[in-house]
Amino acid sequence: MSDDLKLTILKTLAAKSSIEDTADAFKNVPSDVVLGALKSLESHEMVTYKTLTTEVWSVDPEGQDQLDNGSYEARIFYAIPAGEQGVSIDELKTRFGAIANLGQGKGFKNKWIKKSGDNIVRLVDTIVDQTKVDLETVLATGTHENKETIKDLKRRNLIKSNKSYSYAVAKGTNFSTELKKLETDLTDDMLKGDAWKTAEFKQFNFEALGLNPRGGHLHPLMKVREEFRQIFFEMGFEEMPTNSFVESSFWNFDALFVPQQHAARDLQDTFYLEDPAAATELPEFWETVRDVHEKGGYGSIGYRAPWSEEEAKKLVLRTHTTAVSSQILRKLALEPYRAAKYFSIDRVYRNESVDATHLAEFNQVEGIIADKGMSLGRLIAFLDVFFKKMGITTIRFKPTYNPYTEPSMEIFSWHSGLNKWVELGNSGMFRPEMLRSLGLDEGVQVAGFGLSLERPTMIRCGIKDIRHLVGHKVDRNMIETDPACRLDKKTGKEVATADTK
């Protein structure tokens, strides 16, 4: 900002005591530049000012056309030859198009022309194009002395209103015609000497907004996660504690009726801990689980294979949160019967090759519904409502095999970005070999489902490669600009909102 303008303002005040309107005093200086100078002087209490607002009218494109070529009514008048014959209405429409009716209407009102059969004829020999005259006045002065003329031109969309700002300025308590540089910081050099004693400091402006702090941003996964949690709570679910990322193979596999010879328990699929490598003990009902695996029970012949306590004690990074679900079902079995619905959303680990749709670690959304008479039909109906609340309306199911559910279904959703069906998760009815070993009554059936948090988030955000959502390839700008996840619970459609930090 130029000190010359500030000095000019101060000298003008010294000569006139006040400046009634800066628009008159500094005609060639933009108002925003004047305001900047006034704010600087006001911060030193050298001046005070108040804002003056003036309404200024400018000519719109349609008005400029009538300035250049004459008003519509004048064009129509001059297109009509003198005499009783006049010109046909159809000819005027062909020549002038849409403006023919506008020009005729105004011409009728001004009593310049009249209708004679199918023709238009003149009523006068000469006219004054008052619309053009009025527009020239507005263009030159920014206003018009006749308020009705302004109202008429505005109604016809020939002019528009603009706000013009100027300022009335008066002397402040520290008024001076000299500019002094005020110190903004108390420095080490000032304190070492005596400069701080005589220095003049700029006053703090406690009303200044300052710079916006660069705050943190929620990752899209966390936004979708929270929305999922709210959907579960809305549907009457309780949240399971999932703070243990390490589980024994017993809870992760054996209690779920996964055979100890299953491929999922191989090193290439599961991360085993090296130290400590094994749990110190197994739950008190482990022998029941062993017997069902080796000999069968509850209508099953079992796996007819040796079952190792040592293998069951091995510690793993949990491969699914179903390891938590099995422990919750065990606690439920030890209580008096009650229908229950539980969910969890947390990290799980798989020893998988990383590609566009797979990671070695991901977030699993899991739910279980325990009730007498629970069935696969009720599970499908629930999942249909559940996914619609997530904004995913195009889903389909495919039969599959799971060691601990029968029947079992994979859940797929159409991904328009990848242009293919993408697997969202698994579901099914827990097997009696698992439920009865955990101690649940014979009449209690449990449905379970699990899906990744990442894939629905990819569908929502239109991301084709999961590595662009999680990992070193993530676009930080995407995280900062991604809107908050809000789903319309009635329609299942996503509602775009501002970001929450």
Side-chain angles (χ1 to χ4, degrees), residues 355-414:
D355 59 28
T357 56
H358 295 85
L359 291 174
E361 55 179 304
F362 59 94
N363 289 277
Q364 182 174 340
V365 181
E366 173 149 345
I368 55 174
I369 305 173
D371 196 3
K372 291 181 178 179
M374 185 63 194
S375 65
L376 187 68
R378 286 177 60 184
L379 174 61
I380 292 174
F382 164 80
L383 290 173
D384 183 60
V385 174
F386 177 76
F387 281 105
K388 282 181 179 178
K389 287 180 176 289
M390 290 165 46
I392 299 175
T393 56
T394 309
I395 62 170
R396 70 181 184 185
F397 303 94
K398 187 180 80 170
T400 189
Y401 167 76
N402 286 320
Y404 47 90
T405 58
E406 180 61 39
S408 306
M409 305 179 299
E410 289 178 338
I411 310 165
F412 290 83
S413 173
W414 179 256

Side-chain angles (χ1 to χ4, degrees), residues 7 9 41 69 95 136 163 177 189 224 235 275 291 301 345 364 389 392 403 448 473 486 499:
L7 286 171
I9 293 173
L41 293 172
N69 304 302
R95 180 175 174 185
E136 288 172 344
K163 298 292 184 182
T177 55
D189 291 337
V224 177
M235 300 183 78
D275 185 20
D291 291 343
I301 64 173
I345 308 174
Q364 182 174 340
K389 287 180 176 289
I392 299 175
K473 293 185 178 181
R486 295 290 184 270
D499 187 29

Side-chain angles (χ1 to χ4, degrees), residues 231-498:
I231 291 173
F232 275 118
F233 289 139
E234 179 185 299
M235 300 183 78
F237 280 72
E238 301 175 59
E239 190 165 14
M240 293 184 278
T242 55
N243 54 341
S244 178
F245 296 101
V246 176
E247 294 286 359
S248 67
S249 293
F250 178 85
W251 285 116
N252 198 79
F253 296 118
D254 295 288
L256 303 179
F257 198 57
V258 177
Q260 293 191 339
Q261 297 76 24
H262 195 280
R265 301 175 74 147
D266 292 342
L267 284 172
Q268 62 264 32
D269 293 308
T270 302
F271 292 107
Y272 285 88
L273 266 66
E274 184 176 315
D275 185 20
T280 56
E281 60 182 2
L282 296 177
E284 70 281 357
F285 67 100
W286 70 269
E287 292 177 334
T288 303
V289 172
R290 178 200 61 191
D291 291 343
V292 171
H293 276 251
E294 290 186 337
K295 305 172 186 177
Y298 314 109
S300 168
I301 64 173
Y303 293 114
R304 301 296 177 92
W307 188 91
S308 167
E309 182 180 352
E310 180 182 352
E311 181 70 24
K313 286 183 177 180
K314 289 182 180 179
L315 294 177
V316 299
L317 289 179
R318 66 183 180 207
T319 61
H320 46 198
T321 49
T322 316
V324 180
S325 299
S326 61
Q327 296 174 60
I328 291 295
L329 289 174
R330 173 60 180 174
K331 291 180 180 178
L332 197 64
L334 299 177
E335 301 173 358
Y337 167 76
R338 65 181 178 91
K341 294 187 285 187
Y342 287 95
F343 82 94
S344 65
I345 308 174
D346 213 334
R347 189 68 58 88
V348 297
Y349 305 86
R350 305 273 177 88
N351 194 2
E352 293 185 347
S353 298
V354 176
D355 59 28
T357 56
H358 295 85
L359 291 174
E361 55 179 304
F362 59 94
N363 289 277
Q364 182 174 340
V365 181
E366 173 149 345
I368 55 174
I369 305 173
D371 196 3
K372 291 181 178 179
M374 185 63 194
S375 65
L376 187 68
R378 286 177 60 184
L379 174 61
I380 292 174
F382 164 80
L383 290 173
D384 183 60
V385 174
F386 177 76
F387 281 105
K388 282 181 179 178
K389 287 180 176 289
M390 290 165 46
I392 299 175
T393 56
T394 309
I395 62 170
R396 70 181 184 185
F397 303 94
K398 187 180 80 170
T400 189
Y401 167 76
N402 286 320
Y404 47 90
T405 58
E406 180 61 39
S408 306
M409 305 179 299
E410 289 178 338
I411 310 165
F412 290 83
S413 173
W414 179 256
H415 192 305
S416 56
L418 294 174
N419 199 33
K420 68 176 184 179
W421 290 92
V422 177
E423 182 186 351
L424 293 181
N426 245 306
S427 63
M429 301 297 298
F430 284 121
R431 297 175 66 106
E433 296 98 321
M434 168 190 166
L435 299 180
R436 306 305 163 239
S437 296
L438 292 172
L440 288 166
D441 293 339
E442 188 169 340
V444 178
Q445 305 297 328
V446 180
F449 60 95
L451 56 139
S452 79
L453 182 64
E454 283 78 2
R455 289 180 186 173
T457 305
M458 288 172 65
I459 294 172
R460 169 187 171 268
C461 297
I463 296 174
K464 297 181 180 180
D465 192 326
I466 196 170
R467 292 165 293 189
H468 294 159
L469 180 67
V470 180
H472 67 283
K473 293 185 178 181
V474 170
D475 181 3
R476 291 179 61 188
N477 184 61
M478 179 272 293
I479 294 176
E480 293 180 3
T481 58
D482 181 65
C485 177
R486 295 290 184 270
L487 301 177
D488 185 338
K489 302 300 189 301
K490 294 181 180 179
T491 65
K493 295 180 179 179
E494 184 178 346
V495 179
T497 64

Side-chain angles (χ1 to χ4, degrees), residues 62 66 71-77 79-80 87-108 113 120:
E62 189 173 354
Q66 298 191 43
S71 66
Y72 296 157
E73 57 268 27
R75 293 186 218 178
I76 295 298
F77 177 83
I80 301 171
V87 67
S88 71
I89 296 174
D90 290 340
E91 184 178 339
L92 289 175
K93 287 183 178 180
T94 301
R95 180 175 174 185
F96 292 100
I99 70 172
N101 289 336
L102 297 174
Q104 289 174 41
K106 192 67 174 175
F108 291 149
I113 57 176
I120 302 293

Side-chain angles (χ1 to χ4, degrees), residues 10-161:
L10 294 174
K11 290 177 180 179
T12 303
L13 281 174
K16 297 183 177 181
S17 298
S18 66
I19 300 173
E20 294 183 0
D21 194 335
T22 55
D24 297 329
F26 311 109
K27 293 182 179 180
N28 298 323
V29 183
S31 62
D32 58 332
V33 176
V34 173
L35 177 60
L38 292 175
K39 285 184 175 180
S40 178
L41 293 172
E42 184 188 45
S43 68
H44 296 79
E45 297 187 358
M46 298 179 75
V47 302
T48 61
Y49 69 92
K50 65 178 181 179
T51 303
L52 306 175
T53 304
T54 306
E55 189 173 38
V56 178
W57 295 91
S58 61
V59 178
D60 258 1
E62 189 173 354
Q64 188 63 49
D65 174 54
Q66 298 191 43
L67 264 176
D68 297 336
N69 304 302
S71 66
Y72 296 157
E73 57 268 27
R75 293 186 218 178
I76 295 298
F77 177 83
Y78 289 123
I80 301 171
E84 297 181 359
Q85 185 66 28
V87 67
S88 71
I89 296 174
D90 290 340
E91 184 178 339
L92 289 175
K93 287 183 178 180
T94 301
R95 180 175 174 185
F96 292 100
I99 70 172
N101 289 336
L102 297 174
Q104 289 174 41
K106 192 67 174 175
F108 291 149
K109 185 176 180 180
N110 293 343
K111 296 184 179 180
W112 294 351
I113 57 176
K114 72 174 183 178
K115 187 176 180 182
S116 176
D118 292 332
N119 289 0
I120 302 293
V121 297
R122 289 188 181 185
L123 288 177
V124 295
D125 295 327
T126 61
I127 61 169
V128 175
D129 191 351
Q130 192 60 46
T131 297
K132 182 176 180 179
V133 172
D134 293 336
L135 287 171
E136 288 172 344
T137 301
V138 172
L139 182 65
T141 65
T143 187
H144 197 287
E145 62 181 9
N146 190 326
K147 300 303 179 186
E148 292 301 318
T149 298
I150 289 289
K151 188 183 297 184
D152 179 62
L153 294 176
K154 180 184 177 183
R155 180 185 59 80
R156 296 167 64 186
N157 295 321
L158 303 181
I159 61 174
K160 64 179 179 181
S161 175

